[in-house]
Amino acid sequence: MFIVFSLVFLLTGSSVDEYLAVRDFSSALEIAEGSDSLTAQVFSESGNYPMATMYYQRAFASSPSADLFCDLWGTQANATEHFSILTSSNLRDELVWWSSEFVWSADNLSSLVESAMILQDSLLADSLLLTLINNYPGSLQASELIGWKFFDEIYPVWYDDSARVVVLENFIETWGDKSELWHTRAWQYTLAAVTETADSVYWEDYFFDWQRACPDSPVMLLSGATYYIDQDSSWTEALELAEYGLELVEAGWFTEEIPPEEWLITIDAIEANLQFRRLFALAGLGRKQQALTEVREIILETEYDLDDYHTEAPLYWLEGKLLLASADTVAALGSFAEAAILGEVRNHWSGMAIKEMDSLLSNETTPIEWAREYKMYSGPVFTDVTQILGPDSLLSGSRVSWCDWNNDRLPDLYIGHSLYQNIDGLLFSDVTASVGLDSCLGNGGIWGDITNDGIADLVTSARPVQVFINIDGIMVDKTEEMNIDITDASVEGVALLDWNADGWLDLYLASYENGRGSGTDDAFYLGSSEGFSEVSETLGMIPFLEEARCGRGVSPCDYDLDGDIDIFVSNYRLQENFLWENVDGNAVNSTLEVGIAGVDVSGWWGHTIGSAWADYDNDGDWDLFSANLAHPRYIGFSDRSMLYQNNDGSFVDVRKASGIQFEETHSNPLWADFNNDGLQDLFITSIYPNRRSFLYLNMGDGFFRDITWLSGARVFNGWGAATADYNLDGSIDLVVGSGDGPTLLQNVTNCSNWLLVEVGNFDNLNPSSLGAVVRVKQDDLEFLRQIEGGSGTTSQNSSLLHFGLPSDSQVEIEVTIPGSSEIVESLFASPESFVKIGD
């Protein structure tokens, strides 16, 4: 009987979890009936903390346990946080009473610390944390909580090196003996900060203190070897430290304080970097041949997983230097090329490899040209033509949008708050002031015909949002007349779309945060001849528990191809994403049901910045790439970027299986067929200085190949990105916005077999044709595109749709528009032509 009861309970619990995963609380409550603890769990997950507290109290009274005590106080703290002093006092009393009855596990104590923090009782939280540390020294739970304290203290002085040293020294004194991991990390951060101050000459004194405090830390030994080489070229000291570090690693060095996922992307890199520094030191001591022999072996042995962001670029750079020392210049160039192709997180060794190549080659051959021939590269090729926008000193902007603001069929370019008019596809003229946009306060924007007069208008991002109406070629600020309210925080995501298929463009604004992690309400406006009307709550665009999120980007798409536009919202701060599915004009958040909300790890999701739709596998439905910033130190509960493949309306993440490597700071993705083979390739920016972008070539077999550097598409510190065939030559071009200014990359690939499609006027279609879907059929293949009113993080691709085609045979073009899934027009055309479909 006991076995049967246990089996039923496990099955019931599993079913409850399945319903909770999609927030079907009614069904979960039905299954949980009869179990106070399961019922309490359902109410807790639904945010009804008072009811959860009541049921946990009943469960605890019936069968007291440490786990139920912690669950009870977890909900009670949330239910009564406004009466924190009284509630905290009760918690203290209860702890005294029950501590003699229970043995608290590490998870129990961690939960109680969090409850005390919710109740703002820092003294109790610290007391419980010390109990956790004393009872479970070196535990993952204790380490996690100490880590939160570490970053809470260091974040306010993150950009002040001198202040950071003081804060870190205080942390070491207070918490250094409580955690080996955070003791080492605090010293690591301290030494890095010291070398950026006037006290950098004393770096060795700080290192000796670290060495005395953590004598058997491979991280300390690696840092020491690195500083001895980079600061003083002290080869003997560096060699000794690196060799001892390798001894520890090879002997199985391990710490339970590092979460398993973080460990997987830490240990291999520590070992490879220790080997790198050891060989570097050997070469410095004159043992170059030995170092060369061994570096080749280590390169073969080192293989990073696609869930790891490290590369072998440093090892290839070192191999190149050692080959140069042995006078094998051609082989050295090959090694430097491998380092450049791989790239690395900070662009240090790969950047140095490119400089080495440049110094070895003649003026007639660039490093990238040599590498293309060396690797027999035949993929897409870009050339940097940013100069046609104007002098670098005058260019700025991190968000980019293509638009045809003057209806001459040539894609113009909007960067930051500057408008560049396309002159015959040859150059661009800055017309910002002459068209009235010098009053723009935004940092990007989306274009569309809001007033239905046949010319494109503009809605900007940032705060305040501005609406510029195009009146005879002059952009006039009509924000107030259009009834747009000032938002509580900066608007990061802007999108124009036709939600109700009435021919008037509607507007979604995704607001960011007001204080770290504190979300602000998004806004959705329906458009009409009278301007905009805010209707988000009326339509049901209300987040779970009415908790506003930190919006970053908006990507409209009829994701289920049912004839109406849906809205995907990329949310940051480890928050779930939204998919506002259009159900008979009302909004239903379907992200959990279809599988694109992210991965829930105890309420944490992802830092999604931008997302982009495409049918990358040419199976006739929309897939999605969501770019997530994911710090390695939080990787256990942070989402990596995700490539969501659409399988009959449900989505599965296939990023890793598709060969797309994890990168910490992915930001804005886009899809385009850069080599006209009928397959959409993937470009992803990465934010922060020296962080590289990625261009993945779609191989057609479900796998992608990194061709970023060889193609000439590597851009650093990128944010927004968008595509257009700005010179109408049949090859799709690329612009990238960044904190360092924009980069315009012209696609100079020798491509044939292309099609450019303009969607004209149809009854009930908005004049900008936003949301129109175009299918191109060639032989037995089908290619899907849409005219976008926003993508990524307020980026916009050209409305002139580009199709690469596998052959030169005739194609059939079909168009559907918002409001129906029926084809409104079809026609036949030949490749290498500019086709307009519709009036």
Side-chain angles (χ1 to χ4, degrees), residues 20 24 41 61 92 122 162 239 264 336 342 372 380 429 448 469 596 632 693 707 772 778 782 811 814:
L20 290 179
D24 184 351
Q41 181 188 352
R92 286 170 175 268
S122 58
S162 297
L239 181 60
L264 291 175
F336 291 138
L342 285 170
R372 285 171 184 157
S429 175
I469 301 302
I596 53 178
S693 60
I707 59 165
Q778 185 180 61
E782 181 177 313
V811 300
E814 299 176 345

Side-chain angles (χ1 to χ4, degrees), residues 245-293:
L246 284 168
E247 285 180 23
L248 293 172
V249 171
E250 291 165 1
W253 172 75
F254 175 75
T255 172
E256 293 182 353
E257 291 189 76
I258 298 180
E261 274 205 74
E262 185 181 350
W263 177 260
L264 291 175
I265 59 175
T266 298
I267 187 60
D268 288 345
I270 289 175
E271 183 173 8
N273 285 326
L274 283 166
Q275 291 284 19
F276 171 67
R277 291 297 174 174
R278 180 181 70 85
L279 297 173
F280 205 146
L282 279 177
L285 291 169
R287 296 153 64 180
K288 292 183 174 62
Q289 191 56 49
Q290 177 188 350
L292 177 58
T293 301

Side-chain angles (χ1 to χ4, degrees), residues 360-400:
L360 294 171
L361 295 167
S362 66
N363 292 332
E364 290 74 30
T365 305
T366 65
I368 199 169
E369 290 169 341
W370 189 94
R372 285 171 184 157
E373 184 174 351
Y374 167 72
K375 299 292 288 187
M376 295 182 289
Y377 175 75
S378 60
V381 174
F382 297 88
T383 186
D384 187 339
V385 295
T386 309
Q387 73 278 358
I388 69 174
L389 296 172
D392 286 346
S393 60
L394 300 179
L395 301 178
S396 64
S398 58
R399 286 192 165 95
V400 291

Side-chain angles (χ1 to χ4, degrees), residues 58-313:
R58 284 173 45 171
F60 183 74
S62 173
S63 180
S65 70
D67 288 345
L68 281 174
F69 182 92
C70 295
D71 290 337
L72 167 61
W73 277 99
T75 58
Q76 191 153 308
N78 280 290
T80 57
E81 59 179 319
H82 298 299
F83 308 99
S84 57
I85 296 176
L86 178 61
T87 309
S88 176
S89 176
N90 291 339
L91 174 55
R92 286 170 175 268
D93 293 341
E94 292 283 309
L95 280 169
V96 171
W97 176 264
W98 288 105
S99 288
S100 61
E101 300 291 324
F102 299 142
V103 175
W104 305 109
S105 70
D107 282 334
N108 293 153
L109 290 167
S110 178
S111 174
L112 291 168
V113 170
E114 292 182 23
S115 296
M117 291 172 66
I118 292 170
L119 297 171
Q120 301 177 21
D121 190 338
S122 58
L123 291 177
L124 177 58
D126 284 350
S127 174
L128 288 164
L129 176 55
L130 288 173
T131 302
L132 171 58
I133 292 167
N134 292 331
N135 291 358
Y136 301 96
S139 67
L140 187 60
Q141 294 85 347
S143 176
E144 181 181 353
L145 291 172
I146 294 172
W148 284 115
K149 293 190 74 68
F150 176 84
F151 286 111
D152 282 346
E153 292 180 16
I154 201 174
Y155 274 141
V157 294
W158 190 261
Y159 298 104
D160 186 336
D161 293 309
S162 297
R164 201 149 38 111
V165 171
V166 174
V167 168
L168 287 164
E169 288 177 335
N170 289 335
F171 180 88
I172 289 169
E173 183 177 349
T174 305
W175 296 98
D177 62 342
K178 306 295 191 298
S179 165
E180 179 183 343
L181 173 66
W182 290 103
H183 199 181
T184 285
R185 286 187 175 173
W187 273 114
Q188 187 178 14
Y189 277 66
T190 301
L191 195 54
V194 164
T195 56
E196 297 298 324
T197 69
D199 291 332
S200 61
V201 294
Y202 303 113
W203 74 266
E204 195 172 24
D205 294 335
Y206 283 88
F207 173 68
F208 287 153
D209 287 342
W210 182 9
Q211 190 175 33
R212 283 188 289 270
C214 310
D216 295 322
S217 165
V219 175
M220 175 275 297
L221 296 162
L222 172 59
S223 294
T226 300
Y227 281 107
Y228 271 116
I229 291 173
D230 294 348
Q231 298 286 332
D232 296 335
S233 298
S234 301
W235 310 114
T236 300
E237 291 83 351
L239 181 60
E240 290 175 355
L241 292 168
E243 287 181 337
Y244 182 42
L246 284 168
E247 285 180 23
L248 293 172
V249 171
E250 291 165 1
W253 172 75
F254 175 75
T255 172
E256 293 182 353
E257 291 189 76
I258 298 180
E261 274 205 74
E262 185 181 350
W263 177 260
L264 291 175
I265 59 175
T266 298
I267 187 60
D268 288 345
I270 289 175
E271 183 173 8
N273 285 326
L274 283 166
Q275 291 284 19
F276 171 67
R277 291 297 174 174
R278 180 181 70 85
L279 297 173
F280 205 146
L282 279 177
L285 291 169
R287 296 153 64 180
K288 292 183 174 62
Q289 191 56 49
Q290 177 188 350
L292 177 58
T293 301
E294 293 188 22
V295 76
R296 287 171 167 167
E297 295 173 357
I298 294 164
I299 287 172
L300 292 174
E301 294 171 359
T302 302
E303 184 176 358
Y304 293 110
D305 186 87
L306 286 169
D307 276 343
D308 197 331
Y309 67 139
H310 300 96
T311 75
E312 298 89 349

Side-chain angles (χ1 to χ4, degrees), residues 586-609:
N586 293 310
V588 176
N589 188 3
S590 300
T591 37
L592 292 172
E593 286 81 358
V594 303
I596 53 178
V599 177
D600 180 9
V601 180
S602 300
W604 303 105
W605 304 76
H607 287 304
T608 308
I609 296 178

Side-chain angles (χ1 to χ4, degrees), residues 338-481:
E338 296 291 352
I341 291 166
L342 285 170
E344 30 133 4
V345 172
R346 299 293 181 186
N347 191 43
H348 181 72
W349 304 109
S350 50
M352 289 178 63
I354 294 170
K355 290 179 181 178
E356 292 283 356
M357 293 181 74
D358 197 42
S359 68
L360 294 171
L361 295 167
S362 66
N363 292 332
E364 290 74 30
T365 305
T366 65
I368 199 169
E369 290 169 341
W370 189 94
R372 285 171 184 157
E373 184 174 351
Y374 167 72
K375 299 292 288 187
M376 295 182 289
Y377 175 75
S378 60
V381 174
F382 297 88
T383 186
D384 187 339
V385 295
T386 309
Q387 73 278 358
I388 69 174
L389 296 172
D392 286 346
S393 60
L394 300 179
L395 301 178
S396 64
S398 58
R399 286 192 165 95
V400 291
S401 301
W402 291 97
C403 61
D404 183 8
W405 80 281
N406 57 353
N407 285 352
D408 64 355
R409 283 190 163 183
L410 290 169
D412 306 303
L413 185 54
Y414 186 66
I415 305 172
H417 51 248
S418 298
L419 178 61
Y420 297 87
Q421 183 174 323
N422 188 334
I423 310 298
D424 299 325
L426 300 174
L427 54 89
F428 289 81
S429 175
D430 185 346
V431 296
T432 308
S434 63
V435 304
L437 283 175
D438 47 350
S439 63
C440 178
L441 304 174
N443 55 23
I446 299 298
W447 294 77
D449 184 359
I450 294 169
T451 56
N452 284 15
D453 61 356
I455 48 179
D457 310 302
L458 170 68
V459 181
T460 66
S461 52
R463 187 173 187 267
V465 167
Q466 292 173 283
V467 178
F468 287 91
I469 301 302
N470 191 335
I471 302 176
D472 297 327
I474 301 298
M475 307 300 295
V476 181
D477 187 346
K478 295 284 187 177
T479 309
E480 185 174 346
E481 291 90 330

Side-chain angles (χ1 to χ4, degrees), residues 9 12-17 19-20 24-60 68 71-72 75:
F9 180 80
T12 302
S14 175
S15 298
V16 167
D17 288 342
Y19 284 118
L20 290 179
D24 184 351
F25 300 118
S26 297
S27 298
L29 279 173
E30 288 181 16
I31 293 178
E33 187 176 1
S35 169
D36 288 335
S37 60
L38 282 178
T39 302
Q41 181 188 352
V42 175
F43 278 119
S44 179
E45 293 279 344
S46 70
N48 190 337
Y49 297 118
M51 287 295 291
T53 299
M54 184 185 76
Y55 276 97
Y56 272 131
Q57 285 172 337
R58 284 173 45 171
F60 183 74
L68 281 174
D71 290 337
L72 167 61
T75 58

